Amino acid sequence: MTQSPPTAFDVADMTWPPPPYQPPVPPVTGTDGVRRFDGITYATTPGYRPRLLDVQVPAGEGPFPAVVWIHGGGWLDGDRRYPPPTVPAALLHGAVLAAGLALVSLDYRHSQEAPFPAQLHDVKAAIRYVRAFAGDLGVDPDRIGVWGESAGGHLAALAGLVGPADPGDAAGTSGAAGADAVGADAVALEGTQGVGSGETGVLAVVDWYGVSDLVALAAHPMPPMPSGAEFPDPYEALLGASVADRPDLARAASPVTYAAGSNPPPFLLVHGTRDGLVPYSQSEVLAAALKGAGGEVTLQPVEGADHIFLGSPDIASIVGDSVAFLARHLGADA
């Protein structure tokens, strides 16, 4: 592998305090021509670990459309480097790059580090960062989509639907209502982490078995945890309270809250019909809300599959369909 030389460091350019992010690290170029930027600090907050992202850019002339991948783990766990165990990283990453798409994989604060909306703030910060440094990364700032699984699917859906309030914009008005539910203004859901301002809209969303309505889900019993496992209730940990105690915050954290009256980007919802953790009905409800808003939405059931597509015999086709959806809506030239 060859590594690009680091840029010159000029003390005269330093500021204090330093900005709450770092510029992109020099890329490493593989024998396949793929450029990899690993461990970029896109946001910092005193008292928390730095939030990191990785970028993989296809070989060839850019700029390339970019897909932001958001990992799952019940908002309590997970790692930007690893998809769910049913989906090999080489399969997912390779399919994205082969389609002529750059892949951005991000970490975000877990719920026991900081409750909602910290996780959405971090996703928004990552999108702002990619746009701000698009030239350095070789990506097209105007062609960004999001893709997440489980907790990451929930955050991807929110990223596609929540924007800063704008009285002249239906989606912005919806976002303002959600911010009021958190008890603050519209900035409450947009956040000011990392690159503190800038456009965070996306052109397409792929949501694998994400939660869409936390209030409705509160009635669904959690499956039993393994013996000896110390795993908090993920919904209470996300909200910092029970849904019964904070129904306003649960609504603010629910993608369905923002669908009505919005102008949503195209959505692909993929969900196992026998999902025992996040019921298939959660994607049905979101699909109905998006269609009611006049949005383009495809609900793709995975027959007989449990959470993380356990029991599905053809993970490769699920990945391929998701990548094809993103490539089509982001205008990739594979």
Side-chain angles (χ1 to χ4, degrees):
M1 289 186 172
T2 60
Q3 182 161 329
S4 302
T7 56
F9 179 74
D10 188 348
V11 175
D13 292 336
M14 288 185 64
T15 61
W16 192 264
Y21 53 85
Q22 296 290 331
V25 297
V28 173
T29 303
T31 56
D32 55 1
V34 173
R35 284 176 293 138
R36 293 174 171 85
F37 301 79
D38 294 326
I40 301 173
T41 299
Y42 73 87
T44 61
T45 305
Y48 295 92
R49 60 190 167 101
R51 268 83 79 207
L52 306 179
L53 59 78
D54 301 335
V55 183
Q56 300 181 61
V57 183
E61 293 295 325
F64 295 93
V67 176
V68 176
W69 167 261
I70 311 170
H71 70 76
W75 309 282
L76 287 158
D77 199 3
D79 186 312
R80 71 185 187 279
R81 298 168 295 177
Y82 307 117
T86 48
V87 182
L91 170 65
L92 189 146
H93 296 181
V96 171
L97 293 167
L101 300 165
L103 179 65
V104 179
S105 307
L106 66 99
D107 283 333
Y108 53 87
R109 283 170 290 177
H110 294 155
S111 57
Q112 291 200 312
E113 295 178 275
F116 183 83
Q119 298 71 32
L120 180 58
H121 287 174
D122 290 348
V123 172
K124 294 279 192 173
I127 294 170
R128 285 194 295 267
Y129 185 96
V130 170
R131 283 209 165 96
F133 290 98
D136 300 275
L137 298 171
V139 304
D140 186 339
D142 297 323
R143 293 188 289 167
I144 297 177
V146 288
W147 179 4
E149 63 96 12
S150 196
H154 161 262
L155 294 172
L158 284 174
L161 291 169
V162 172
D166 179 348
D169 177 76
T173 303
S174 178
D180 289 342
V182 181
D185 60 12
V187 175
L189 292 179
E190 194 70 10
T192 57
Q193 297 289 314
V195 178
S197 62
E199 174 60 41
T200 60
V202 297
L203 295 185
V205 177
V206 175
D207 172 358
W208 280 2
Y209 46 86
V211 170
S212 66
D213 186 344
L214 272 77
V215 176
L217 196 61
H220 178 73
M222 287 284 293
M225 294 292 108
S227 178
E230 296 182 3
F231 202 83
D233 182 291
Y235 309 114
E236 289 192 14
L238 177 68
L239 302 177
S242 70
V243 172
D245 287 339
R246 290 297 310 274
D248 57 333
L249 188 55
R251 286 191 296 272
S254 297
V256 293
T257 299
Y258 309 98
S262 70
N263 181 24
F267 268 71
L268 172 62
L269 309 174
V270 190
H271 209 132
T273 59
R274 298 188 64 183
D275 193 323
L277 184 62
V278 179
Y280 178 72
S281 59
Q282 286 280 303
S283 284
E284 290 181 308
V285 167
L286 181 56
L290 291 167
K291 287 180 180 177
E296 176 187 340
V297 56
T298 300
L299 175 57
Q300 181 175 320
V302 182
E303 295 296 336
D306 201 340
H307 204 62
I308 68 170
F309 303 136
L310 279 169
S312 171
D314 196 359
I315 298 296
S317 289
I318 297 171
V319 171
D321 290 345
S322 300
V323 171
F325 174 88
L326 290 162
R328 183 169 68 254
H329 289 289
L330 298 181
D333 299 319

